[in-house]
Amino acid sequence: MKVLVVGGAGYIGSHMSKCLVRNGHQVVVLDDLSTGYRSAVRYGALIEGSIGNPDCLNRVFGEHAFDAVMHFASFIQVGESVREPARYYRNNLANTQNLLDAMREHGAGNFVFSSTAAIFGEPAQVPIDEGVPSAPINPYGRSKWMVEQMLADYEHAYGLQSVCLRYFNAAGADPEGELGERHDPETHLIPLVLQAASGRRPAISVFGTDYDTPDGTCIRDYVHVDDLCAAHLLALQRLWQGGGSGRYNLGNGNGFSVREVIDTARRVTGRDIPLRFEPRRAGDPARLVADSGRARRELGWQPARGDLETIIADAWRWELAYPWR
Ligand code: UFG
C-alpha cells in the first residue's frame, strides 16, 4: 500500500516511516522541515512542503494515489500554545483542514490522526478510557480535540474514515539505534533526564514536588514510540479491512512519577543525575494514565517494549550517539 506520512521527518513520523517500509508499504513523506530533520527521513521519499500550502497539497495528491494518510505534523508544546494560540490553531487545526480537504478533493480516504492525552485536561479519574469526557485546558489540547470533532463531521458528511490515536507520553527510540527523539528545544522529561546523565546538561529540573501523588511529583504513562507505531499499523489495517473509524487511548496503563523516571534512568545508565527542584510547570495535570483496553480489544494492540527500563535504555542508546547522524 502507498501511505503519505505528513511530518515524517519528526520524532514519531520518522519511526512510523521505518515501520511502514519494514512492513512492505511504500512511503512518501511530506514535511516542511520546520521542526523535523532531513536526516531523519531514512525510509521513503521526502517531499519538502507544507500542508499550509494548498498548491503543494494539490501537487502531492495529483501525483500520487495514496491508500492512507498519517498526520504527525503539529506543534506540541503546551506552554507555547498558551502564549501563541494563533500559531497552534493555524498549524494544528487550519492546516489539518487543508490536508483533509485535499484528500476529499482528490478522493483519498483513510486518515490516521496523532491525537493526545491533552484532550482530557485534568481528568477526574485515572486510568483514562475513551469514555472519559474531553476537557482540554490549553490551546494545544483544544486544537487536537477540535480536529477530532472535525473528523467526526467529515465522516458524517463526506464518508472520510479515520482513526484518532491519543498518545500518552511518547518516549524511547528505535531499538536499532537509527532514529530517536530530537526536539529543539527539548522539553520532554526522558530525553532531558538522559542529557543530564550524559553530561550535556548540568542537571534535571523537577517541576513540582507538592502534587497529590505518593512522592509529590507528576505521574505519567510512558509509551514506547515503536509500540505507538505498531498501533498505527493496526489502525491502518482496520481502515483497509473496512473496520471503520475509531478513537483509541494509547499507553501502557502504568503510571510513573518524575522521581521514578529519574531513579530508573540512574539504574539504566549507571550515571549520577543531579536534580534541581523547581516550582510546578503551568498546566501540568498531576496524573495521566491510559486505559488502553479498547485498543487491545479492537485493534489487537499489545505493547512489546512497554516497561520503563526498556523505554529508557532505547532512548539512552540514542543519547549516547549524540551528535546524531
Ligand atoms: N518534567 C520535569 N522536568 C522537565 C521536564 C518535564 O519535571 O525538565 C515533568 C513535567 O512537569 C511532567 C512530566 O515531567 O510532570 C512529563 O513532562 P513531559 O514534558 O515529558 O510530558 P507532558 O506530560 O507534559 O507532555 C506530554 C506530551 C504533550 C502532551 C501532554 C499531554 O509531550 O505533547 O503529554 O498532557 F500534550
Side-chain angles (χ1 to χ4, degrees):
M1 295 283 195
K2 192 175 195 177
V3 181
L4 177 64
V5 179
V6 181
Y11 171 40
I12 304 172
S14 61
H15 287 76
M16 189 68 229
S17 298
K18 178 171 183 173
C19 172
L20 286 164
V21 169
R22 284 280 166 92
N23 281 277
H25 301 294
Q26 207 184 329
V27 168
V28 174
V29 168
L30 175 64
D31 201 300
D32 65 4
L33 303 180
S34 60
T35 57
Y37 297 87
R38 194 181 298 278
S39 60
V41 185
R42 294 171 160 254
Y43 296 84
L46 172 66
I47 298 175
E48 202 176 327
S50 167
I51 56 172
N53 177 351
D55 292 339
C56 165
L57 286 171
N58 251 324
R59 216 174 45 245
V60 172
F61 282 94
E63 284 170 9
H64 301 270
F66 296 111
D67 299 293
V69 174
M70 307 185 113
H71 181 23
F72 298 92
S74 58
F75 296 152
I76 57 165
Q77 289 182 42
V78 170
E80 184 182 66
S81 80
V82 175
R83 291 191 304 277
E84 299 182 66
R87 287 187 69 225
Y88 276 71
Y89 289 116
R90 169 72 52 205
N91 189 49
N92 294 5
L93 182 63
N95 290 353
T96 301
Q97 189 180 8
N98 287 341
L99 176 60
L100 296 178
D101 287 343
M103 288 180 68
R104 204 157 59 82
E105 280 152 27
H106 291 269
N110 301 321
F111 188 71
V112 181
F113 178 60
S114 300
S115 189
T116 169
I119 66 165
F120 296 109
E122 278 276 7
Q125 62 174 82
V126 294
I128 303 167
D129 67 15
E130 292 77 3
V132 171
S134 282
I137 54 172
N138 51 60
Y140 167 70
R142 275 191 281 275
S143 70
K144 292 282 185 173
W145 175 231
M146 286 176 189
V147 171
E148 288 205 15
Q149 291 172 292
M150 185 158 69
L151 286 169
D153 291 336
Y154 271 48
E155 173 168 18
H156 179 75
Y158 313 124
L160 178 69
Q161 307 281 299
S162 64
V163 172
C164 296
L165 299 175
R166 288 94 169 245
Y167 314 154
F168 280 61
N169 285 63
D174 173 32
E176 294 174 357
E178 267 190 323
L179 301 163
E181 188 165 6
R182 189 176 176 188
H183 296 116
D184 188 15
E186 187 54 76
T187 61
H188 294 105
L189 180 65
I190 290 179
L192 290 173
V193 166
L194 296 179
Q195 288 178 18
S198 71
R200 275 211 288 148
R201 281 175 194 266
I204 179 72
S205 298
V206 176
F207 295 137
T209 53
D210 58 348
Y211 285 95
D212 183 19
T213 59
D215 69 17
T217 64
C218 286
I219 291 177
R220 293 289 182 274
D221 184 342
Y222 296 89
V223 52
H224 199 290
V225 61
D226 264 19
D227 287 331
L228 291 178
C229 291
H232 285 71
L233 207 56
L234 292 164
L236 282 181
Q237 279 156 12
R238 176 186 168 94
L239 289 168
W240 287 331
Q241 288 163 4
S245 296
R247 295 171 177 195
Y248 301 97
N249 295 354
L250 298 181
N252 288 301
N254 299 318
F256 292 96
S257 72
V258 172
R259 283 183 204 265
E260 286 172 325
V261 168
I262 296 167
D263 286 344
T264 308
R266 285 183 171 134
R267 274 201 309 280
V268 168
T269 64
R271 305 277 179 99
D272 180 36
I273 302 176
L275 306 185
R276 202 162 46 206
F277 294 103
E278 300 206 19
R280 291 182 178 199
R281 189 174 69 176
D284 277 342
R287 285 169 199 262
L288 288 173
V289 179
D291 177 338
S292 294
R294 186 193 277 182
R296 289 169 192 269
R297 284 190 306 276
E298 290 187 11
L299 298 177
W301 185 53
Q302 254 183 329
R305 303 187 78 78
D307 66 280
L308 188 60
E309 300 215 347
T310 304
I311 291 172
I312 291 179
D314 287 345
W316 180 233
R317 193 175 310 112
W318 176 246
E319 170 58 22
L320 287 177
Y322 181 83
W324 304 295
R325 285 160 285 170

